């Protein structure tokens, strides 16, 4: 049985002291770059693996980033791309990713407290952000490193003057400019002569639902067309629900804005069964993050959201918080939508 390599083994091979090897493996700036490269090369050759338990005892760090998974993400095809974006970026560091599904129950802080109060991670990622998200307030109060996929609308304290515009609390986030996507979707539909528009929205209480709706309604007003949110519909719900709505009620619209590609198969099926042909009686615009729309052989207007890039930016954001010497342009990133493209015209 091969004996497990230690920092002593690396010291013997490189001819360096134990202290120098230890500093090099921890990324200390006190070690010259060529020395660090020599130590890292030796560690790889020897298949050296750091004893995380020992490192934690010495430094108090877990070298773990925890992603609290919203249970609705199980049904979203792009969730794996978010995970890969985060984990692939962390792979070049000593940090690794764990995924923890949020706990069942009404308290949104349960899973978060479990991680923070037990010291199970050095930083966390949370998604499905609410406008007044209690999790963000908790993490800010604890001064615990985190990044959200999405923005809150938490008011900043110490508002000055009654007439002053309310300012929002700043926190680390990466988000897609969904309001701009909705505006562009309306403009694309109007350009095709559509005048009765509907938007299919995600669950109540999500910040990005508000962004989508505000962008959509504002653009409809600006273009002078009728626009409304489709009522009693949740794009996080079952495909059956989407299909039945489209088959029975979609005829009141000649333009639809979808906000998840996961509903497209059910939506297109329902439109077809109620006698609406995309590209003729109705046009559909959808945001997408996977290749699914490329295989739906019906006319579709589409806007791509790069979820892998979002994951990479979230990880970079966290690395900067955990080590300020790690490059990061900003702790807040709002990604503009790319131009809407026409698929299968």
């Amino acid at each position: 049985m091969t004996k497990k390599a230690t920092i002593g083994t690396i010291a013997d091979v490189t001819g360096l002291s134990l202290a120098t090897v230890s500093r090099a493996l921890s990324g200390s700036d006190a070690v010259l770059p060529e020395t660090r490269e020599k130590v890292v090369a030796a560690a790889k050759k020897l298949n050296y693996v750091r004893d995380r338990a020992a490192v934690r005892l010495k430094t108090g760090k877990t070298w773990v980033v925890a992603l609290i998974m919203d249970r609705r993400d199980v049904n979203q095809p792009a969730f794996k791309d978010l995970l890969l974006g985060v984990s692939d970026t962390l792979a070049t560091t000593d940090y690794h990713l764990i995924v923890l599904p949020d706990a069942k129950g009404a308290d949104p802080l349960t899973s978060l407290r479990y991680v923070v109060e037990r010291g199970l991670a050095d930083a966390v990622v949370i998604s499905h952000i609410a406008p007044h998200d209690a999790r963000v307030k908790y993490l800010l109060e604890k001064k615990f490193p985190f990044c959200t996929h999405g923005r809150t609308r938490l008011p900043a304290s110490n508002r000055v003057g009654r007439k002053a515009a309310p300012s929002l609390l700043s926190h680390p986030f990466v988000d897609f400019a969904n309001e701009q996507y909705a505006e562009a979707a309306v403009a694309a539909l109007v350009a095709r002569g559509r005048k009765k528009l509907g938007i299919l929205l995600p669950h109540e209480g999500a910040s990005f639902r508000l962004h989508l709706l505000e962008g959509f309604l504002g653009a409809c007003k600006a273009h002078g067309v009728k626009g409304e949110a489709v009522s009693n519909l949740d794009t996080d719900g079952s495909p059956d629900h989407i299909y039945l709505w489209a088959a029975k009620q979609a005829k009141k619209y000649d333009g639809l804005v979808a906000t998840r590609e996961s509903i497209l198969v059910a939506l297109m099926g329902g439109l077809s069964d109620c006698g609406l042909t995309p590209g003729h009686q109705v046009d559909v615009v959808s945001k997408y993050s996977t290749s699914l729309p490329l295989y739906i052989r019906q006319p579709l207007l589409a806007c791509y959201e790069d979820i892998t890039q979002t994951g990479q930016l979230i990880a970079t954001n966290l690395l900067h918080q955990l080590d300020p010497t790690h490059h990061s342009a900003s702790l807040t990133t709002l990604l503009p939508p790319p131009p809407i493209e026409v698929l299968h015209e």
Side-chain angles (χ1 to χ4, degrees):
M1 182 176 180
T2 304
K3 187 176 180 181
K4 182 179 178 181
T6 66
I7 61 171
T9 312
I10 299 173
D12 290 341
V13 169
T14 59
L16 299 169
S17 69
L18 287 172
T20 299
V21 170
S22 178
R23 284 194 292 267
L25 291 172
S26 66
S28 171
D29 291 335
V31 178
L32 294 173
E34 55 267 30
T35 302
R36 183 180 297 107
E37 290 174 7
K38 181 178 181 181
V39 171
V40 170
K44 288 182 178 179
K45 186 175 181 180
L46 294 167
N47 295 316
Y48 169 76
V49 178
R50 297 179 74 184
D51 186 335
R52 291 186 179 273
V55 171
R56 181 168 184 177
L57 286 173
K58 182 178 179 180
T59 66
K61 294 174 69 72
T62 65
W63 298 99
V64 170
V65 170
L67 188 150
I68 310 296
M69 186 191 79
D70 190 286
R71 290 174 179 266
R72 285 169 290 224
D73 283 329
V74 174
N75 298 319
Q76 300 307 325
F79 179 64
K80 64 176 179 60
D81 297 319
L82 182 73
L83 289 181
L84 291 174
V86 175
S87 61
D88 287 352
T89 303
L90 295 179
T92 61
T93 74
D94 285 331
Y95 289 94
H96 67 281
L97 180 70
I98 62 169
V99 179
L100 180 67
D102 60 354
K104 291 182 178 180
D107 187 354
L109 294 178
T110 301
S111 294
L112 204 51
R113 287 197 184 105
Y114 181 81
V115 172
V116 174
E117 294 175 7
R118 288 169 175 77
L120 301 180
D122 296 327
V124 296
V125 181
I126 55 176
S127 62
H128 289 261
I129 302 304
H132 296 84
D133 205 301
R135 299 171 299 170
V136 172
K137 293 177 66 176
Y138 170 81
L139 289 165
L140 288 171
E141 289 169 359
K142 292 290 186 180
K143 297 182 180 179
F144 194 87
F146 73 98
C147 185
T148 65
H149 182 198
R151 293 163 278 164
T152 67
R153 290 190 172 183
L154 288 164
S157 58
N158 302 323
R159 180 179 171 184
V160 179
R162 292 183 178 180
K163 294 184 179 180
S167 58
L168 300 181
L169 187 66
S170 178
H171 65 84
F173 73 78
V174 177
D175 198 11
F176 187 76
N178 284 291
E179 57 272 53
Q180 295 178 28
Y181 157 67
E183 292 167 0
V186 169
L189 290 170
V190 170
R192 296 170 75 91
R194 304 307 180 185
K195 298 180 179 180
K196 297 179 292 183
L197 311 185
I199 185 169
L200 290 75
L201 294 166
H203 61 281
E204 293 272 4
S207 288
F208 80 111
R209 175 191 171 97
L210 293 179
H211 298 146
L212 287 163
L213 185 57
E214 290 173 355
F216 174 80
L217 294 178
C220 286
K221 183 178 180 180
H223 287 280
V225 298
K226 181 181 179 181
E228 64 181 26
V230 173
S231 59
N232 300 318
L233 195 69
D234 177 358
T235 56
D236 292 301
S238 72
D240 289 344
H241 187 46
I242 302 295
Y243 168 81
L244 290 173
W245 172 84
K248 294 180 179 181
Q249 301 182 47
K251 282 190 174 181
K252 64 185 292 188
Y253 304 104
D254 61 11
L256 292 171
V257 179
T259 53
R260 293 195 188 283
E261 76 257 52
S262 57
I263 71 168
L264 284 177
V265 173
L267 176 63
M268 294 301 203
L271 293 176
S272 178
D273 286 355
C274 78
L276 294 176
T277 302
H280 294 278
Q281 296 92 347
V282 66
D283 278 308
V284 177
V285 185
S286 181
K287 187 175 66 166
Y288 73 103
S289 306
T290 70
S291 60
L292 175 63
L294 303 179
Y295 302 101
I296 297 177
R297 300 300 183 186
Q298 298 184 59
L300 181 69
L301 305 176
C303 177
Y304 180 65
E305 179 181 4
D306 190 338
I307 295 294
T308 301
Q309 179 194 32
T310 298
Q312 293 167 345
L313 290 169
I314 287 173
T316 301
N317 187 311
L318 291 175
L319 289 172
H320 177 69
Q321 293 182 60
L322 294 166
D323 179 4
T325 64
H326 191 281
H327 173 72
S328 178
S330 174
L331 290 180
T332 61
T333 303
L334 185 61
L335 299 168
I340 289 176
E341 55 191 319
V342 181
L343 303 180
H344 316 307
E345 182 81 274

